[in-house]
Each structure stands twice: as structure tokens, then as C-alpha cells.
Amino acid sequence: MPLVPSYIKKLNSYKPGKPIEEVQRELGLDNVIKLASNENPLGASPRALDAIQNAMVDSHRYPDASGYELRKKLSERFNVKIDNVVLGAGSEGIMSTIMRTFLLSDDELISAKNSFIGFRVLAYASGKRIHWVPMKKHRYDLEAMAKEITDYTKIIYIANPDNPMGTYITKKEFDEFYSYVPERVLIILDEAYFEFAHGLEDYPDSMTYRYDNVITLRSFSKAYGLGGIRIGYGFAHDDLIDNLLKVKVPFEPSLLAQVAGLAALDDNDFLSRTLEINNKGMNYLTQELELLKVKHVPSIANFITTIWDSEARATDLTKGLLEKGVIVRQLAAFGWPNYIRISVGLEKENDRFIESLKEIL
Ligand SMILES: Cc1ncc(COP(=O)(O)O)c(C=O)c1O
């Protein structure tokens, strides 16, 4: 018997966007901006930072393993019972717990091909059979996904909005799809970009779908700027949560992550500034890309994906931008080699990206 299962040997680990320090070091540049990982350009929620600072002195203590305070606050905010809430080290932490909790040996998974890499890595690491359904016009093809459901299907994963496309499925599409999904199949609705999409009339806020087999995942990483702290949450039926709580790493999320999440939820000012700057930035980038006749996918998240004629062209542009100190994300690892994703930055960062792009073009 081999020590390492073949599906782990074959696995490509998650490769995040390049860190600023690495680019500074490698290219000898001082002023580098990163528009590559859909982070919050305003930084972290100041209220969360204060709370972290105040709690640091208790770092020798284990956190509350039940995450009571934050789960209670989330339950009140979203009008559910505390028994319907789970916390994790980022929403990916919860995704990982879901895989470990519910998958049996013959179970199968369904998701869109070339969607969020984080899920792809976890899905392959599970060693289960996965049906990857190609996207249609850069959107989840729910009709085709419904056709892939078999007696073995256990989990269907949908990122809404999707990363890296920024597209979304509508209420009507989800309702139609849901009518084809047997109750024994779990649907993970990954709403990491929920706050950005929330205002849209036809966006299916999954809190209105408190079905027994739907797990909603949300994150403090994007709208609250806490990606480095690793704090996310999920909502589901009591029974699913109860089992997730048995399997999750005991003291996840950390003490600092729990207090940060608690404080961030009260940081309305930071949240509105985030949404405002994102809105403005998205409008500006879209308008400028249109003027430059750069093809792109309309996005409702905090990033926008551009389409180029070939992989070589996308590679050259990514490199050219990097040499000018602008880090963007070519999407080869996602399965879109001729696509480049740009996270919405501060006004001056968006400007710098557009000016650099113009110079290169
Ligand atoms: C669709 C999607 N889900 C989940 C995550 C990860 O969120 P977290 O930082 O909460 O683990 C990301 C991050 O890029 C994402 O794009």
C-alpha cells in the first residue's frame, strides 16, 4: 500500500496571488500594488483591529470552543437560532469541515468547472468522484449540473457570486435548479462576496432558503478586510451544524479571529465605505476597459475579469504590469489561461492599473 494516496500525490496545492514583498524583492521595486487576491483595499475593519489589540493579552488562553458570542450575534443578525450557525477559519475552513463530515466512500460531488480553486483543491483532496460541469457564458450552468445528479451525489457546490468570473445565478435560476435536487443532496452556497451582491434584486440571498439541505457560507475576509485573520461562518439546519461542530478542529477559529468577527459586525461605517469604494472603482474600471476595448465579464463582486486573445498575450500583459509594480492575477491555474482578474483597489490604485495597461497596450 502506498503511503500517500494517489489522489493526494496528483493534487496541485492552492497557489495564491503573489505577495507584495516577493515582487518588491524580485524586481527591486519600491512601490508595488496588489490587485490580485480580492482583498479589501481599505485594509481591515478598524473596530476589528481594536478588538484584536485588546484581546491579544489573553493569547495564552484557549478561545471559547463553541464560539458562543459570535455565533449568538450572527444568529441575531440573520434571524436564525444559534444552533444554525457554525464558525470556521475562513469560509474555507468550514468547507473543509463539511468534506470531512459528510462524505462517505462512494459519494460524488458536482460543481462548475474552473470556478473557485479553494473548493477544487478540497474536492480533489477528498478522493471522491467529481463531476465538473463547464460554465456557460462564464456562469454556472445549473441546468447541466442538475443533469449530473446521480444516486451517489452528496454535495453540490455553487459559488454565488462566482470567483473568478464575478457572475451570479439568479433567484429564478436557483429555484428551478432546487426543484431537481433530492433532499439527501447537500448544496453548499458559497457567498464569500455576499455583501457586494446583496443589493441586487434578483440575487438569491440564501438566508431566504432555509432548506434542510442548503449550507450557506460567508466570510469576513472580503467586505470586512479580515482575510489574514481567517474567520468565516455558515448557516444550516441544526442537525447539519451539530455534526459539523463535532468534526471541526476544536479551537477553530482562534481567539483573535472570534473577537475580530464580533467587532467587525458592528463596523457599519467600514462596511459602507467598502461598498462605496468598490462601487465607484468597479464603475471606473468597467468604463476604462470599455474605452480601451478590452473584453471583460460583467462582475457583481470586488474584482473584474478580462479576456485576452491568447495565453501568451495574457502572460505578457501580466508580466508587463508586474514590471510596473502592479500585481494582477492571470487565471491559468483556474483553467482560464487567457484571462486576467483584477481586484478593485483604491482610486489611485485603479488609476495606476489603467495607466500601466494603457502604456503596455
Ligand atoms: C468564492 C470564494 N469562496 C471562499 C473564499 C475564501 O474565503 P475565506 O477567506 O473566508 O476562507 C474565497 C476567497 O477568495 C472565494 O473567492
Side-chain angles (χ1 to χ4, degrees), residues 67-338:
Y68 179 79
E69 292 295 337
L70 181 53
R71 286 173 66 217
K72 181 158 158 279
K73 187 154 191 145
L74 286 163
S75 72
E76 286 162 3
R77 173 71 53 96
F78 292 100
N79 208 11
V80 289
K81 290 180 294 178
I82 189 168
D83 298 338
N84 298 122
V85 188
V86 64
L87 307 176
S91 52
E92 274 195 80
I94 306 171
M95 246 186 264
S96 165
T97 311
I98 293 172
M99 302 300 211
R100 287 182 292 118
T101 307
F102 300 113
L103 291 175
L104 290 164
S105 54
D106 288 336
D107 285 347
E108 298 181 354
L109 301 104
I110 301 176
S111 191
K113 195 169 170 201
N114 305 334
S115 176
F116 179 50
I117 297 190
F119 175 75
R120 189 162 84 203
V121 172
L122 290 174
Y124 280 136
S126 75
K128 303 291 176 246
R129 177 153 187 240
I130 310 148
H131 300 248
W132 296 117
V133 180
M135 287 192 181
K136 201 166 156 186
K137 295 189 179 151
H138 304 115
R139 303 174 72 238
Y140 271 61
D141 184 352
L142 293 185
E143 205 181 316
M145 284 171 70
K147 288 191 183 134
E148 293 293 312
I149 296 173
T150 68
D151 288 346
Y152 296 101
T153 306
K154 173 61 76 64
I155 289 178
I156 300 177
Y157 169 84
I158 300 172
N160 198 36
D162 172 59
N163 171 20
M165 290 305 159
T167 52
Y168 68 107
I169 55 165
T170 63
K171 274 188 191 132
K172 195 160 164 270
E173 287 166 328
F174 183 78
D175 289 346
E176 165 89 11
F177 173 72
Y178 188 77
S179 67
Y180 293 109
V181 180
E183 263 177 38
R184 60 174 169 80
V185 176
L186 294 179
I187 302 176
I188 302 177
L189 278 174
D190 179 345
E191 297 178 345
Y193 302 93
F194 162 77
E195 292 83 355
F196 301 100
H198 177 50
L200 292 172
E201 212 187 306
D202 58 350
Y203 173 75
D205 170 351
S206 68
M207 290 312 286
T208 55
Y209 297 111
R210 282 302 92 219
Y211 302 139
D212 292 356
N213 59 341
V214 172
I215 304 183
T216 298
L217 295 183
R218 298 215 178 135
S219 179
F220 284 99
S221 299
K222 311 293 175 186
Y224 294 99
L226 294 175
I229 292 291
R230 311 307 302 128
I231 175 80
Y233 55 98
F235 301 108
H237 186 278
D238 323 13
D239 201 37
L240 298 180
I241 297 290
D242 188 37
N243 286 294
L244 287 172
L245 293 179
K246 289 184 217 163
V247 174
K248 87 170 181 71
V249 175
F251 293 106
E252 173 189 339
S254 75
L255 176 79
L256 301 183
Q258 291 189 34
V259 297
L262 205 55
L265 280 179
D266 284 332
D267 210 339
N268 295 332
D269 173 52
F270 183 76
L271 182 62
S272 24
R273 281 192 293 129
T274 296
L275 297 182
E276 191 187 326
I277 201 165
N278 190 65
N279 243 334
K280 276 196 190 149
M282 184 65 89
N283 288 340
Y284 168 77
L285 289 174
T286 310
Q287 192 185 316
E288 292 296 314
L289 290 171
E290 264 156 29
L291 287 174
L292 291 170
K293 303 214 171 352
V294 172
K295 278 196 229 150
H296 55 277
V297 184
S299 164
I300 60 157
N302 64 347
F303 54 85
I304 185 157
T305 288
T306 55
I307 311 169
W308 303 90
D309 294 338
S310 65
E311 176 169 6
R313 179 84 171 124
T315 307
D316 281 351
L317 280 167
T318 309
K319 215 165 136 242
L321 286 164
L322 199 62
E323 280 159 5
K324 291 180 180 295
V326 179
I327 315 176
V328 292
R329 188 87 191 262
Q330 186 180 358
L331 299 176
F334 283 76
W336 306 96
N338 57 319

